Amino acid sequence: MASARRIGILTAGGDSPGLNAAIRGIGKAAIGHYGMDVIGFRDGFRGLAEDRSMRLNRRLSGILTVGGTILGTSRDKPHRMLVDGEVMDMTGAVVRTYEKHRLDALVCLGGGGTAKNALRLVRAGLNVITLPKTIDNDVVLTDATFGFATALDVATDALDRLHSTAHSHHRIIVCEIMGHRAGWLTLGAGIAGGADVILIPEIPYTVESIAEAISRRVRAGSNFSIVAVAEGARNPEDAQAFAAAEARKRAASTPEEIQASVGVLAAVEAAHEGNTLRLATQLEALTGLESRVTILGYVQRGGTPSAADRLLATRLGSAGADLISEGVFGVMVAARGDGTEPVPLEQVAGKRKPVPPDHPWVLAARHVGTCLGD
Ligand code: F6P
């Protein structure tokens, strides 16, 4: 008999293909294999704070292939939630909901930020595990996150389609790809989609070096180019300003320092808006080739999860149910090779996994002649 009888599930942060597959994976394993009850909480940590719950036992069929999350999601944090226009610490309310439903464990599906919030709840005395979800693939200590494979397929397909129109019109097409502060999605799609230039946050670029690569292509007879640019890619000066703002935020300890550092970071982020359009204009001026921009945006996150994501989400979910039945809490269920591994939340919370500049994907891109902007 399982020691845990009732578990809660929530999805937090940006939605991602595979969330429903993961809810189904953990839910079916918990109910069918371990005889537990499963309660869903709507809209991330807000649903837990405000007790927006639904029994999931009969709602897990038919959702494997469905995009988004049947639970809804939000970026709310338990300890800093906007309630009636005021920022409040709702940790106490979250604990009360957990106790009211007599939960033995809570499963949070999310990325590094969700792991940080989950750890706060562990410290408040709850039994919590997380599953790594994000299209950005930037969660540490897991081989992969679900959502990434689908977004990679979508972004690659977009680059394939942009090739034929760029080629026909002899244009540069600059395609902006998501990924937050990491370049995994742009690098992966850029390689798979044969982008001529790939720009990622981890490798600051200069417009001159990109223009030179494009002009070299023109001289060699290819009068079009595809530039895959990550939303967080920057030139060296902007990258330095961004790193300094981030370091200031990390170092801030008093409420005044934290508030000021958040303001500085927001200003740096705001200055970055429109960067892809500016880049295209600059490349047009430097190369003489007409330029166009495509911003892929939320299309990368929506829709049916790929087979790879359904498989990953299902095996992480089912492994999560195993850990709960064994009484293992305070961990993220990481993908490790064909298996899974529990990783302490302390080692994941608030951390990010950038692309190492000497990563094999970077080297492969360079070896096939792709310009990385440096
Ligand atoms: O983390 C997933 C992600 O899609 C990032 O790639 C992107 O920067 C961000 O979320 C967008 O956030 P929001 O949904 O809040 O606009």
Side-chain angles (χ1 to χ4, degrees), residues 44-63:
F45 292 103
R46 182 165 293 269
L48 201 55
E50 297 180 357
D51 190 12
R52 300 183 195 163
S53 58
M54 62 200 259
R55 196 150 178 269
L56 282 179
N57 290 44
R58 288 178 194 280
R59 303 204 193 191
L60 298 172
S61 291
I63 63 169

Side-chain angles (χ1 to χ4, degrees), residues 281-307:
T281 308
Q282 289 166 325
L283 290 177
E284 182 164 308
L286 287 173
T287 62
L289 285 184
E290 204 176 23
S291 298
R292 291 287 188 272
V293 165
T294 296
I295 296 180
L296 293 187
Y298 297 92
V299 88
Q300 296 161 101
R301 264 181 20 190
T304 295
S306 66

Side-chain angles (χ1 to χ4, degrees), residues 16 21 30 98 103 127 203 223 260 263 296 302 304 320 373:
S16 188
Y98 182 96
L103 297 182
N127 293 329
I203 303 177
N223 51 5
L296 293 187
T304 295

Side-chain angles (χ1 to χ4, degrees), residues 50-120:
E50 297 180 357
D51 190 12
R52 300 183 195 163
S53 58
M54 62 200 259
R55 196 150 178 269
L56 282 179
N57 290 44
R58 288 178 194 280
R59 303 204 193 191
L60 298 172
S61 291
I63 63 169
L64 175 65
T65 60
V66 177
T69 158
I70 58 164
L71 291 174
T73 187
S74 74
R75 294 197 184 275
D76 289 308
K77 303 176 171 83
H79 68 297
R80 276 170 50 85
M81 207 175 280
L82 199 61
V83 181
D84 297 331
E86 245 185 277
V87 177
M88 292 179 59
D89 184 344
M90 299 297 281
T91 310
V94 163
V95 173
R96 281 193 292 282
T97 306
Y98 182 96
E99 285 169 350
K100 176 181 158 196
H101 287 276
R102 290 176 286 109
L103 297 182
D104 298 302
L106 174 71
V107 186
C108 303
L109 279 54
T114 300
K116 201 169 170 181
N117 291 321
L119 182 59
R120 286 196 180 96

Side-chain angles (χ1 to χ4, degrees), residues 223-255:
N223 51 5
F224 73 98
S225 279
I226 299 291
V227 179
V229 56
E231 59 181 348
R234 290 174 159 82
N235 64 37
E237 301 77 52
D238 292 350
Q240 211 174 8
F242 183 67
E246 276 206 307
R248 181 171 168 176
K249 183 162 170 251
R250 269 197 307 276
S253 55
T254 67

Side-chain angles (χ1 to χ4, degrees), residues 14-15 75 134-136 178-181 185 231 298 301:
D15 77 327
R75 294 197 184 275
T134 166
I135 64 163
D136 304 337
M178 276 187 169
H180 200 215
R181 290 166 193 171
L185 192 52
E231 59 181 348
Y298 297 92
R301 264 181 20 190

Side-chain angles (χ1 to χ4, degrees), residues 159 183-200 203 213 216 226 228 355-374:
L159 293 178
W184 295 105
L185 192 52
T186 305
L187 180 60
I191 293 171
D196 307 295
V197 180
I198 299 176
L199 307 174
I200 61 174
I203 303 177
R216 240 189 342 263
I226 299 291
V355 177
D358 59 349
H359 190 273
W361 291 11
V362 172
L363 302 184
R366 290 195 194 281
H367 287 178
V368 296
T370 311
C371 166
L372 294 183
D374 54 348

